[in-house]
């Protein structure tokens, strides 16, 4: 089968399509034929060699997101032919999704949304689970005030919509004027590009997607979650009674089912910037590196 692998770290030209052995699903695993995947910042960092300790050994198959068709559900209850989505924690398992066939634990797999194509669905798993699990940690209740820093990004844009669906009042810090309309259109109240405008707004919770560390914006006794692992820990705010975390996404089929329902009931809109073919993987990474994306890059098998 085809797999996108690297055997060294570097610029997008280290990415190659190789002929790899087909995976054999173990007990409790499901074998999926990949239809589409997508690019995430972690894939870029892994290819570059920027992850450091904990990177799987070379050569490695890259990729976390997966949308495809079940080939063999084994005893998992998933049936051959079902449209599914999944996230594989590639860094901890070495099990990349950028391959024709992927075997994953059934607990990491969920039904794909019916209302979008599998290419669009492939943009959901990693950023969607990160948004969902971090909002769960923040435990934002209906009516509470949440600030999302980076609300027009892949994770932030989904978090904004999920938080609104849960009844939270959401404000947004975005990088540039072009993102202001996106945040307003998806339910944000106050939207700014100026972090100084956030001082003393006393948010119940802050969801920080890029290491903004706008700690002055959270109320005493509030919650502050970052997902920007490489920016380091959130400053200690315990003297103000603020709980902090740097959240790490984990495989979670139940969470994916929740996301699928939100897509199908119209609460969650997915944004696909463009779709590249498998053989265009180097060009896809080059486009990702240019930045300024409004939506995600899908890769279609
Ligand atoms: N811990 C985890 O488990 C986990 C999971 C998923 C992602 N992540 C990490 O979380 C980060 C976000 O991921 P993503 O996929 O959402 O990336 P993304 O789509 O690039 O989103 C990041 C957003 O933050 C904005 N931003 C960056 N610097 C800013 C600034 N100074 N002021 C205002 N906005 C700013 C970006 O705007 P521009 O586009 O204008 O730069 C973009 O809209 C990445 O570093 C990723 O590696 C961590």
């Amino acid at each position: 089968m085809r797999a996108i692998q690297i055997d060294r770290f570097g610029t997008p030209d280290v990415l190659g399509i190789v002929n790899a052995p087909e995976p054999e699903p173990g007990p409790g695993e499901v074998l999926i034929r990949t239809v589409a995947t997508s690019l995430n910042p972690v894939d870029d960092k892994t290819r570059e060699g920027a992850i450091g300790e904990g990177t799987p050994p070379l050569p490695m198959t890259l990729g976390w997101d997966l949308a495809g068709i079940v080939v063999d559900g084994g005893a998992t209850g998933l049936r051959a032919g079902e449209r599914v989505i999944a996230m594989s924690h590639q860094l901890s398992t070495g099990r990349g999704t950028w391959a024709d066939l992927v075997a994953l634990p059934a607990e990491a797999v969920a039904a794909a949304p019916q209302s979008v194509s599998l290419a669009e669905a492939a943009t959901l798993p990693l950023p969607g689970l990160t948004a969902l699990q971090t909002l769960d940690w923040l435990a934002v209740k209906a009516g509470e005030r949440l600030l999302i820093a980076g609300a027009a990004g892949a994770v932030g844009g989904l978090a904004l919509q999920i938080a609104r669906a849960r009844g939270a009042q959401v404000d947004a810090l975005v990088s540039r004027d072009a993102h202001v309309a996106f945040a307003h259109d998806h339910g944000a109240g106050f939207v700014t590009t100026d972090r100084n405008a956030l001082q003393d707004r006393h948010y119940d919770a802050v969801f920080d997607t890029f290491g903004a560390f706008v700690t002055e914006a959270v109320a005493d006794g509030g919650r502050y979650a970052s997902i920007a692992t490489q920016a380091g820990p959130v400053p200690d705010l315990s003297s103000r009674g603020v709980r902090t975390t740097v959240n790490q996404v984990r495989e979670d089929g139940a969470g994916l089912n929740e996301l699928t329902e939100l897509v199908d009931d119209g609460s969650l809109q997915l944004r696909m910037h463009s779709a590249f073919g498998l053989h265009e993987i180097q060009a896809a990474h080059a486009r990702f590196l240019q930045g300024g994306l409004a939506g995600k890059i899908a890769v279609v098998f």
Side-chain angles (χ1 to χ4, degrees):
M1 67 167 189
R2 300 168 303 169
I4 299 171
Q5 290 194 348
I6 55 170
D7 57 11
R8 61 196 189 285
F9 300 112
T11 50
D13 58 353
V14 302
L15 293 155
I17 301 176
V18 304
N19 192 8
E22 293 186 3
E24 303 227 346
E29 290 189 345
V30 52
L31 186 66
I32 302 164
R33 177 166 294 283
T34 306
V35 172
T37 178
S38 83
L39 257 67
N40 289 292
V42 66
D43 302 311
D44 180 55
K45 292 170 193 161
T46 305
R47 189 209 70 239
E48 273 183 340
I51 299 290
E53 202 179 327
T55 311
L58 295 168
M60 76 172 94
T61 301
L62 294 175
W64 292 54
D65 282 331
L66 174 60
I69 306 286
V70 173
V71 173
D72 181 358
T76 68
L78 288 158
R79 293 186 311 279
E82 277 191 68
R83 296 165 86 249
V84 290
I85 54 173
M87 188 203 83
S88 176
H89 200 296
Q90 186 265 350
L91 276 184
S92 62
T93 62
R95 203 168 42 199
T97 58
W98 295 359
D100 278 320
L101 291 165
V102 181
L104 289 174
E107 297 77 36
V109 180
Q114 294 294 330
S115 53
V116 298
S117 68
L118 285 175
E120 290 169 283
T123 67
L124 177 62
L126 187 153
L129 284 180
T130 308
L132 191 77
Q133 292 168 359
T134 304
L135 286 171
D136 284 347
W137 185 89
L138 286 167
V140 179
K141 295 188 282 296
E144 281 194 317
R145 296 176 62 244
L146 169 71
L147 171 71
I148 301 179
V155 175
L158 295 172
L160 167 59
Q161 298 176 71
I162 298 166
R164 290 292 294 142
R166 290 180 176 186
Q169 296 176 43
V170 188
D171 289 351
L173 173 65
V174 296
S175 59
R176 43 205 156 94
D177 290 341
H179 285 162
V180 171
F182 168 84
H184 277 310
D185 290 350
H186 290 81
F190 176 69
V191 183
T192 183
T193 57
D194 177 13
R195 63 178 291 156
N196 295 321
L198 298 165
Q199 278 183 7
D200 304 322
R201 291 186 74 92
H202 305 293
Y203 291 102
D204 298 302
V206 177
F207 187 151
D208 182 350
T209 72
F210 66 89
F213 299 136
V214 278
T215 53
E216 66 278 12
V218 67
D220 290 354
R223 294 90 74 193
Y224 193 110
S226 165
I227 57 161
T229 313
Q230 294 199 316
V234 180
D236 182 5
L237 303 174
S238 55
S239 64
R240 295 172 46 205
V242 176
R243 288 197 302 129
T244 61
T245 191
V246 179
N247 215 39
Q248 302 298 329
V249 69
R250 57 185 191 282
E251 295 179 1
D252 175 9
L256 289 175
N257 271 318
E258 204 174 325
L259 292 166
T260 284
E261 283 173 20
L262 288 168
V263 172
D264 281 340
D265 75 15
S267 307
L268 194 54
Q269 291 169 17
L270 305 180
R271 289 178 298 159
M272 186 169 74
H273 170 272
S274 49
F276 287 76
L278 183 68
H279 60 289
E280 299 173 307
I281 189 65
Q282 293 184 0
H285 272 240
R287 178 63 194 89
F288 183 85
L289 280 174
Q290 283 172 21
L293 294 168
K296 288 183 60 70
I297 292 181
V299 177
V300 179
F301 275 62

